[in-house]
Amino acid sequence: FQAEDGIRDYKVTGVQTCALPISGALPGEIQGLRLSLTGITDLVERARSLGSQPVAVVNAGSGLPLASARDAQAAGLIDPVLVGDTEAIKREANILGWDLNGVRLVAAPDELSAGNTAAILARDGEVTALIKGDIHSDNLLRAVLNKDNGLRTGKIGRAHV
């Protein structure tokens, strides 16, 4: 896939995509940094060897976050905890043909609530990581940095959130 802006999108092991600029760079090379597909495959295999981890997908009610979570689960990398509008999550999962039987759903009515809920799940040790779903980055960062959610462990210097 090549977009009009000169970015080529590569699907890597069915789990994630990475955008690489194609003008002046070979696939897998960005500003002198060489990415090895073998290295990425090795990284995925190493992660798989650690066993799947409970991971919250924040505001998971749209197709791309759900497809990514489904693929990562199928690859044995995560046990998804889908946070967001549960009806939207079920509807989109049905469109994708993903049976959510055994997948934990956590209700949150909007993206701000989803971010805060996911941060609290992480604080309480119920998930080991957060995956950005259909949530604006600033709202996810607000939730993670919100001292009331308990993830901050020390003083933070200047930040623009």
Side-chain angles (χ1 to χ4, degrees), residues 13 16 27 61 71-72 77 82 86 96 106 119-120 136 150 153 157-158 160:
T13 70
Q16 67 182 34
D71 292 348
L77 300 173
L82 306 177
T86 56
L96 291 170
V106 179
I120 291 167
H136 291 91
T153 58
R158 292 184 186 180
H160 299 282

Side-chain angles (χ1 to χ4, degrees), residues 40 45 87 94 112 143 159:
I40 292 172
E45 288 306 317
E87 291 307 312
N94 186 51
L112 291 172

Side-chain angles (χ1 to χ4, degrees), residues 54-58 79-83 118-119 121-122 127-133:
V55 174
V57 181
V58 185
D79 291 323
V81 176
L82 306 177
V83 181
L121 290 171
V127 298
T128 59
L130 305 177
I131 294 177
K132 181 183 179 294

